[in-house]
Amino acid sequence: MTLLHNFNPNPMCVDMGNYLSGHGGVSNCNILNIVSHYAPPSDFPGFCVETIADGDSWCGMECPDVPRNTPLVLAANMAVGDNTTSKPLYGSWVNVWAGPETDWRSRGSLTSSGVSGDITLPSGGKTPQIVFRGPAKAGQRIYIWSIYLGTRADYETLQRYAPGAPLAGSLMPLRGGEA
């Protein structure tokens, strides 16, 4: 048996506004805590990124324990608020940023709910971050919940045992798939 890991340091989105302010940064947006009821349906806690003024808005969450040089996937559920553009001003709604100062950039991303392709973060450099982008216009929102960053095998196992769950902490499946 092995433990399943989510390297997202705040999978239950506890007090995300304060958490992001102290562990990555917030720019041009308000962060609102929510319990989501969007498609796909979920009662798991999440948060909302609401753009304050027209232009780029984002917030980042440092992930100090994420392994480097290991194929990972990023997964999340998202719902774009009413009257919101279908994509952020720059990049994707959710990105994983990593690398040295001279090559700090997005290494993988999501533009809609689901799971990304494989992401491999280089060793060294700054602490990797999951970066969430807000819509381009003031007052617009995106809702995000069930954020996962870990191996594809762990994600697929999680989906068998707890579909759509955010995997807070770790989960040890029963031997032989027993329920």
Side-chain angles (χ1 to χ4, degrees):
M1 265 187 262
T2 60
L3 289 175
L4 306 180
H5 296 282
N6 184 355
F7 294 101
N8 168 2
N10 191 3
M12 296 305 287
C13 300
V14 176
D15 194 15
M16 283 299 276
N18 286 329
Y19 186 85
L20 293 168
S21 293
H23 295 92
V26 175
S27 177
N28 192 33
C29 59
N30 288 321
I31 308 302
L32 309 168
N33 291 325
I34 61 162
V35 173
S36 58
H37 298 285
Y38 298 94
S42 172
D43 288 326
F44 297 115
F47 68 103
C48 167
V49 178
E50 178 183 55
T51 302
I52 296 172
D54 289 1
D56 190 22
S57 66
W58 62 270
C59 52
M61 177 171 32
E62 292 178 336
C63 300
D65 297 328
V66 68
R68 314 293 180 93
N69 298 315
T70 301
L72 305 170
V73 295
L74 173 66
N77 288 330
M78 294 173 255
V80 181
D82 294 340
N83 303 316
T84 300
T85 58
S86 61
K87 61 182 184 176
L89 188 60
Y90 300 108
S92 301
W93 295 117
V94 184
N95 301 269
V96 177
W97 285 66
E101 292 280 342
T102 56
D103 192 23
W104 177 249
R105 63 184 168 93
S106 176
R107 305 293 173 160
S109 62
L110 288 173
T111 55
S112 62
S113 291
V115 62
S116 72
D118 286 349
I119 302 167
T120 301
L121 307 180
S123 58
K126 296 170 63 174
T127 301
Q129 286 190 21
I130 300 174
V131 176
F132 308 95
R133 294 258 182 212
K137 299 288 182 188
Q140 294 181 335
R141 297 176 172 184
I142 183 165
Y143 302 88
I144 305 166
W145 67 100
S146 296
I147 306 152
Y148 174 85
L149 178 62
T151 67
R152 183 174 301 278
D154 281 2
Y155 180 75
E156 290 170 353
T157 301
L158 172 64
Q159 295 312 298
R160 285 196 309 272
Y161 287 97
L167 185 55
S170 58
L171 172 71
M172 184 181 292
L174 299 173
R175 190 178 333 217
E178 301 165 5

